Amino acid sequence: MTTNYRLKRLNTGRDYIADNYQTPISLSDIAKCSYMSPYHFLRVFKDTYGETPNEFLIRLRLQQAKKMLITENYSVSEVCERVGYSSLGSFSSLFLKQVGVAPTAYRRKLWALSGEAYCFPAQAIPACFAFKFIGKLAK
């Protein structure tokens, strides 16, 4: 019973991150909504999900950024702001480190695969090929 209760509180914290990823979030805010101390929340979150709340936040923000870069006509600066980063340099460096290519190159290469502007060719190119293609861009 304690485990289910703890998992519900962790899920509340994880949902809080997912709902507020566009804004600055502190560990204290997340832990408070989960009714845990920040240190305890961090430790239990890492044990349960295999990543820290900050790693989860970064992964979520970058997933959203990748989606926006290939499906929207926002500038990289606008994407950066919309996913919760205030510094374009930090966003670009993190994107390059995590994805393997700069945001602009990521967008340019994937748009080049499509005949339609601002549209990732999901119907025409299998995801496994697209991911393999992105992997080659990183090299």
Side-chain angles (χ1 to χ4, degrees):
M1 182 139 158
T2 306
T3 305
N4 285 338
Y5 181 66
R6 183 177 73 177
L7 190 58
K8 284 181 184 179
R9 292 187 340 191
L10 281 175
N11 283 337
T12 300
R14 192 172 173 146
D15 291 345
Y16 179 83
I17 296 169
D19 293 341
N20 297 288
Y21 73 90
Q22 307 94 335
T23 61
I25 301 174
S26 72
L27 180 59
S28 298
D29 294 338
I30 303 165
K32 188 184 292 183
C33 82
S34 298
Y35 302 103
M36 294 183 195
S37 73
Y39 175 74
H40 183 66
F41 179 80
L42 176 64
R43 186 175 51 78
V44 174
F45 192 97
K46 171 87 172 164
D47 289 345
T48 304
Y49 297 116
E51 62 185 351
T52 65
N54 191 52
E55 291 168 343
F56 173 69
L57 176 62
I58 290 169
R59 187 170 52 81
L60 183 63
R61 284 178 170 173
L62 291 180
Q63 283 175 346
Q64 291 301 107
K66 289 186 332 188
K67 184 187 301 183
M68 292 173 90
L69 284 168
I70 59 177
T71 61
E72 304 290 338
N73 194 22
Y74 298 128
S75 69
V76 174
S77 297
E78 288 174 314
V79 171
C80 168
E81 289 175 13
R82 288 177 182 266
V83 297
Y85 289 102
S86 57
S87 167
L88 178 59
S90 297
F91 168 72
S92 295
S93 296
L94 185 61
F95 193 95
L96 177 62
K97 180 180 175 185
Q98 296 288 325
V99 180
V101 292
T104 306
Y106 179 84
R107 167 184 272 169
R108 200 175 304 131
K109 294 296 182 183
L110 288 175
W111 277 4
L113 296 175
S114 175
E116 289 182 52
Y118 320 126
C119 179
F120 180 70
Q123 302 84 350
I125 300 173
C128 58
F129 177 78
F131 290 127
K132 183 186 269 187
F133 181 75
I134 292 300
K136 288 180 183 177
L137 290 176
K139 294 179 182 174

